[in-house]
Amino acid sequence: PGILPYYLPVLAEGQSAFLSQKAFEQMLPQLPPSYRSLSRQQGATELMIAALRVGGMIVGALACSRGGQPYTEEDRLLFQ
């Protein structure tokens, strides 16, 4: 549960994941209380997860959240 199911495809395939406001709100109750509290304090409503690559190999993933406007393809390209 939690955020792990969203990370797995990113790590396995290297494709970015975008969580809409609805998906983000559905995921929040599964997160530890400290993460839920921080997300609410920061006004986060969307989440993007991108693969981190070194020499063409996926070595991890990075998540970023924000509120206000949805992430765009330009955001994804910049984030990767």
Side-chain angles (χ1 to χ4, degrees):
I3 199 167
L4 186 60
Y6 300 101
Y7 269 96
L8 293 178
V10 173
L11 293 169
E13 302 164 14
Q15 299 295 322
S16 298
F18 295 88
L19 275 74
S20 66
Q21 183 172 356
K22 182 178 179 181
F24 186 75
E25 289 173 0
Q26 291 173 341
M27 179 198 61
L28 274 178
Q30 301 171 39
L31 297 178
S34 59
Y35 289 171
R36 287 194 307 264
S37 177
L38 180 62
S39 293
R40 290 186 179 113
Q41 287 174 3
Q42 298 297 319
T45 59
E46 306 250 338
L47 181 73
M48 179 171 53
I49 305 169
L52 297 175
R53 292 183 171 87
V54 174
M57 292 181 53
I58 298 170
V59 297
L62 182 64
C64 184
S65 62
R66 74 175 180 197
Q69 58 186 8
Y71 283 106
T72 65
E73 181 64 15
E74 186 176 300
D75 294 324
R76 183 192 65 80
L77 293 172
L78 179 64
F79 197 57
Q80 290 183 322

